[in-house]
Amino acid sequence: MTRPLALFDLDNTLIDRLAAFKLWAAEFAASRRLGEEAVPWLVELDADGSLPMDTFFGLVRERFGLAEPVEVLWAAYRARLPHLVSCPAEVLDGLDRLRAAGWAVGIATNGMADNQTGKIRRTGLAARVDGWAISEAEGVRKPDVRLFEIAAHRCGASLDSGGWVVGDDPEKDIAGGRKAGLRTIWIDRGVTGEGTVADHVVTDVMSAIDLILRMAQVSTI
């Protein structure tokens, strides 16, 4: 019997990518003596991860007259950011509870393979999920259903059996998850999402995990 599936986004869902980015911005500005005013500029330019990073570093290089090529700056960022992210212990425990309850648990994330894999491994998530799919490695990005299919397969599950997608992005996670035939839980961070149509709305991933477990209990009564 195929296990029920729960797929999670990575950035700003399982981990606080924005907090890690702010730490990186402070380090980056300090190491190059760019001044304190550079930090809010970097954070604003990043736009909560919505600006492509090659574009981001092109603009950063131009503004501050940096000598390193964009590719070097971007590679250094990807090498450093996994060291700045963390996953709360209660979230790791929540994923353990899902798996103990019989769920296949996975991650479906857009991003560069080295950066995202580093985050998954360094936060302890690798030991708490059954598999993951990263867009750069797979050559397909959310909201394309194929990334959800790959993630499900890596977890030993199938989209045909239904399940959940949990994420903070209205288009990539929620619309993509619905196209994949999965129920959706949107994490409303108060950033975007007007008109988002999800099965449920919560404010953090722990609430989403608890909701999935409660819904499963109700369905078995």
Side-chain angles (χ1 to χ4, degrees), residues 164-170 174 178 183-209 211-212 214-215:
W164 294 91
V165 169
V166 180
D168 71 306
D169 190 286
I174 304 308
R178 290 173 69 87
R183 289 173 289 177
T184 57
I185 301 176
W186 178 49
I187 297 179
D188 181 2
R189 299 169 49 236
V191 178
T192 60
E194 185 176 349
T196 301
V197 179
D199 293 284
H200 299 276
V201 179
V202 297
T203 56
D204 56 66
V205 71
M206 277 308 306
S207 298
I209 291 171
L211 177 61
I212 292 171
R214 285 201 311 272
M215 296 283 287

Side-chain angles (χ1 to χ4, degrees), residues 40-58:
W41 183 86
L42 290 165
V43 173
E44 182 178 3
L45 180 66
D46 174 64
D48 201 32
S50 62
L51 185 68
M53 294 309 289
D54 53 349
T55 302
F56 172 84
F57 280 109

Side-chain angles (χ1 to χ4, degrees), residues 41 56-66 73:
W41 183 86
F56 172 84
F57 280 109
L59 294 171
V60 169
R61 185 173 183 267
E62 179 181 353
R63 178 179 176 92
F64 297 109
L66 303 180
L73 293 168

Side-chain angles (χ1 to χ4, degrees), residues 2 6 57 67 117 125 129 132-133 148 164 173 219:
T2 303
F57 280 109
T117 302
L125 284 166
V129 300
W132 59 80
F148 298 104
W164 294 91
D173 300 315
S219 67

Side-chain angles (χ1 to χ4, degrees), residues 109-206:
T109 177
N110 289 346
M112 300 293 286
D114 54 356
N115 191 23
Q116 303 303 76
T117 302
K119 295 173 188 175
I120 292 169
R121 295 195 184 281
R122 293 194 63 85
T123 55
L125 284 166
R128 265 44 182 235
V129 300
D130 297 291
W132 59 80
I134 300 171
S135 64
E136 193 230 355
E138 310 302 340
V140 60
R141 294 175 56 84
K142 294 184 295 185
D144 195 307
V145 170
R146 288 174 292 174
L147 195 70
F148 298 104
E149 290 175 340
I150 294 168
H153 178 73
R154 296 269 167 74
C155 296
S158 170
L159 296 184
D160 295 336
S161 300
W164 294 91
V165 169
V166 180
D168 71 306
D169 190 286
E171 178 184 0
K172 299 179 181 69
D173 300 315
I174 304 308
R178 290 173 69 87
K179 288 179 182 177
L182 303 175
R183 289 173 289 177
T184 57
I185 301 176
W186 178 49
I187 297 179
D188 181 2
R189 299 169 49 236
V191 178
T192 60
E194 185 176 349
T196 301
V197 179
D199 293 284
H200 299 276
V201 179
V202 297
T203 56
D204 56 66
V205 71
M206 277 308 306

